[in-house]
Amino acid sequence: PDLEAVSVATSKLRFLSEDGVTIWSEPRGRDAGNPWPQLSIHRGRLQMVLLDAVRRELGESRVHPGHRLTAFAQDADSVTATFDQREAGTDGSTAARQVQRRGDVLVGADGLHSTVRRHFAADEGPPVYSGLMLWRGAVEAQAFGDGREMFMAGHDQKKAVVYPIRGPLEPGGTTLINWVAEEPVEVDVATADWNAEIDVAEVATKFVDWDWGWLDVGALIASTATAYQFPMVDR
């Protein structure tokens, strides 16, 4: 219920050609007769719902923000993790001090550049690049279709994935729509930045002809204030 309150229960998934013609469609979640919904949700809202649940079930004192794992060591009975803990000074500066936490088990869920994984696979090298660059953003816009559907359009050389991740805040209001645009791009993933902002106008020009009447994909992208690039990689 907490997740459903801040998400969209996706009604169907459609695959479209690049001129907006439906190739295939299927209902999703409860609309497909399942006992559970398929939920589309802003990542930040998902994280806050999970954080609230952890605080509620385990207690506020069990959450330690501002820690970056730098090393760990294991003995016969436990594991000790070493962190850099960021602390804000009175003058606005930020300093880090080293702290250690000891426990029975360390679960390394520390991302693409995982310190834990690097300990066990030190020579794995950079991620394996698929050759596809994704550009992603979220923008307030009028709903399309029934207001709950998602679609994938295009082909392996140019694709867009679009779906709402929050409903209107008031009757007749806009929805928060997440979009992903994709094309093959050459890039060195050894130095790639998954938080790099992009020029949305440049991406929008790639989809300037994708105006299907019920949705203008290029205009949707162009109206986005902030968007980012994501090289699609494997580990």
Side-chain angles (χ1 to χ4, degrees):
D2 292 344
L3 287 172
E4 288 192 78
V6 292
S7 63
V8 173
T10 306
S11 61
K12 63 182 173 182
L13 169 64
R14 289 201 290 158
F15 285 85
L16 313 175
S17 63
E18 63 181 314
D19 53 3
V21 175
T22 299
I23 299 170
W24 178 74
S25 177
E26 71 168 27
R28 307 295 286 180
R30 292 198 182 105
D31 289 77
N34 295 314
W36 51 82
Q38 173 176 316
L39 301 178
S40 297
I41 185 171
H42 189 287
R43 186 180 307 237
R45 292 190 174 93
L46 170 62
Q47 290 171 337
M48 292 308 298
V49 170
L50 295 175
L51 178 59
D52 288 344
V54 168
R55 286 171 166 160
R56 183 172 62 247
E57 298 296 329
L58 303 182
E60 181 74 36
S61 65
R62 308 306 295 173
V63 180
H64 305 283
H67 286 57
R68 184 176 67 86
L69 182 71
T70 58
F72 62 92
Q74 181 173 308
D75 58 31
D77 302 312
S78 65
V79 58
T80 300
T82 302
F83 298 90
D84 280 344
Q85 181 183 10
R86 296 188 300 274
E87 294 181 327
T90 55
D91 60 353
S93 63
T94 302
R97 68 184 183 96
Q98 198 172 79
V99 297
Q100 291 186 324
R101 308 284 182 186
R102 189 166 181 260
D104 296 330
V105 176
L106 172 67
V107 178
D110 51 338
L112 183 69
H113 302 294
S114 167
T115 298
V116 175
R117 190 185 62 250
R118 192 178 305 117
H119 174 87
F120 293 105
D123 59 349
E124 69 176 352
V128 179
Y129 184 40
S130 68
L132 295 174
M133 178 66 74
L134 276 60
W135 301 282
R136 305 186 63 150
V139 61
E140 292 283 345
Q142 290 298 320
F144 59 87
D146 65 2
R148 298 192 293 121
E149 68 180 65
M150 70 180 299
F151 69 79
M152 301 179 181
H155 45 81
D156 61 350
Q157 296 299 301
K158 182 183 293 184
K159 184 167 70 175
V161 183
V162 182
Y163 52 96
I165 54 176
R166 195 216 65 229
L169 298 178
E170 57 186 33
T174 58
T175 63
L176 184 61
I177 296 178
N178 186 77
W179 58 264
V180 181
E182 174 186 312
E183 269 192 348
V185 173
E186 291 187 13
V187 66
D188 180 7
V189 294
T191 59
D193 182 359
W194 277 260
N195 294 303
E197 289 192 30
I198 61 169
D199 180 356
V200 292
E202 182 178 335
V203 177
T205 60
K206 302 174 185 294
F207 296 87
V208 69
D209 296 329
W210 288 33
D211 182 357
W212 307 321
W214 54 271
L215 181 68
D216 185 336
V217 176
L220 182 76
I221 294 173
S223 65
T224 307
T226 306
Y228 302 88
Q229 69 175 20
F230 291 80
M232 185 183 290
V233 300
D234 286 330
R235 272 295 189 190

